[in-house]
Amino acid sequence: MKLSIEGVGFVGAGLADWQAAVEALRADTSPGSLPLAELGRALKADRLPRTERRRAGKSVRLSMTACWEAVESAGLDPADLPMVFASTSGDTEVLSHICAALAEPERMVSPTRFHNSVHNAASGYWSIAVGTHQPATAIAAHHETAAAGLLEAAMQAVSENRPVLLVIYDIPFPEPMNQAEPIAEPLAVALVLRPASADSSNRLNLSLSGEHRDATSMQAEQWLALWEGVPAGRILPLLEAVARDEAREIAMPTGDGPTLVVDYEPMQRGEQA
């Protein structure tokens, strides 16, 4: 499958946007840290109606912030884009609250928290914010979530011959659940993908290899902890290649199944990202 990257959104690990991530990836400087407690109102949810904005959790705000940057840089109307939302565990804070409530004798669960616990909650909030009736897909595949989301978005873009919005995001569980399923940092990466044309830049060629291959790691040593510690971070080697304008082959295992192989070809010299 041949595609092009039309827009990129990034937020998390102490970096506010894609340009900040580009500079850190090129310089191999540490991406920093954004504690879960500080993640919330600073993120973009201002285009939601007031009621939904009040209900939106941290994972919703994180994913929407990355989505806005990606669609704005692509110059496309977000209402026209089918979407794929991929997250290992969804809103981990809400899930932790529900688990705690179910451990009490009364087993009372807040309706709002139950509403936000479903895995397609983030795509639902995004659909409301942009006023779209386009198809939405929500994916979870544990540590292979990034590969599964990228593969799904690519298949939709190629089969329907239209651009697709992909966002891959994770937030840590609060303690003590974070000890059982550790996620190092809040992180969201959004891509607008479309089928490649003759004049496309930032090209991707996706294929499946029948042989299991180890995942391609980061060249930027300061980013290794983020790549290893956040399932959504498995997409970071691709972003590193984009940021550095380097052609690169990236292997993304899909568990015991085939390996997703991504060949990235950077933009032509002199063109704008």
Side-chain angles (χ1 to χ4, degrees):
M1 294 180 288
K2 299 182 184 299
L3 301 113
S4 64
I5 300 174
E6 300 296 311
V8 182
F10 183 101
V11 64
L15 300 172
D17 55 28
W18 172 230
Q19 187 55 46
V22 168
E23 294 172 2
L25 283 164
R26 288 177 176 172
D28 191 6
T29 56
S30 174
S33 178
L34 180 65
L36 181 62
E38 298 179 14
L39 180 68
R41 296 190 179 280
L43 301 175
K44 287 185 178 179
D46 54 336
R47 300 189 203 189
L48 280 169
R50 180 177 301 176
T51 300
E52 283 75 19
R53 186 165 62 245
R54 189 171 61 250
R55 293 174 175 171
K58 292 175 180 175
S59 68
V60 171
R61 294 169 180 266
L62 183 75
S63 59
M64 288 182 61
T65 301
C67 286
W68 282 121
E69 185 182 17
V71 297
E72 287 174 352
S73 65
L76 298 174
D77 185 346
D80 294 336
L81 299 177
M83 66 210 84
V84 176
F85 278 64
S87 176
T88 304
S89 303
D91 198 314
T92 55
E93 194 170 51
V94 169
L95 294 174
S96 295
H97 282 299
I98 290 178
C99 288
L102 293 176
E104 297 294 330
E106 297 82 5
R107 301 169 67 88
M108 298 293 290
V109 175
S110 158
T112 298
R113 282 179 175 159
F114 178 76
H115 160 88
N116 283 334
S117 71
V118 296
H119 203 64
N120 62 354
S123 61
Y125 280 101
W126 173 256
S127 298
I128 294 171
V130 304
T132 182
H133 296 283
Q134 295 294 334
T137 303
I139 287 181
H142 203 219
H143 288 176
E144 286 74 41
T145 296
L150 178 58
L151 182 59
E152 174 66 24
M155 289 191 297
Q156 290 191 20
V158 171
S159 62
E160 300 292 333
N161 192 29
R162 60 187 302 191
V164 173
L165 171 64
L166 164 68
V167 60
I168 306 165
Y169 62 101
D170 283 311
I171 65 172
F173 281 96
E175 296 296 347
M177 290 186 67
N178 196 50
Q179 297 179 31
E181 183 63 24
I183 297 175
E185 284 286 335
L187 177 67
V189 173
L191 301 173
V192 175
L193 303 173
R194 75 157 71 229
S197 60
D199 58 350
S200 292
S201 57
N202 292 320
R203 293 187 180 188
L204 303 176
N205 186 12
L206 272 63
S207 60
L208 288 173
S209 170
E211 298 180 357
H212 176 79
R213 295 173 54 178
D214 293 335
T216 301
S217 182
M218 301 292 294
Q219 295 181 5
E221 295 183 356
Q222 297 296 325
W223 285 65
L224 276 173
L226 192 62
W227 174 75
E228 292 175 333
V230 185
R234 304 299 191 273
I235 197 69
L236 289 176
L238 173 59
L239 265 63
E240 181 181 49
V242 176
R244 296 182 174 187
D245 295 338
E246 294 177 352
R248 194 174 300 179
E249 181 183 270
I250 298 152
M252 302 179 71
T254 59
D256 295 330
T259 298
L260 177 63
V261 180
V262 182
D263 283 300
Y264 172 70
E265 179 182 345
M267 63 182 179
Q268 298 296 314
R269 189 176 298 278
E271 292 182 345
Q272 298 296 316

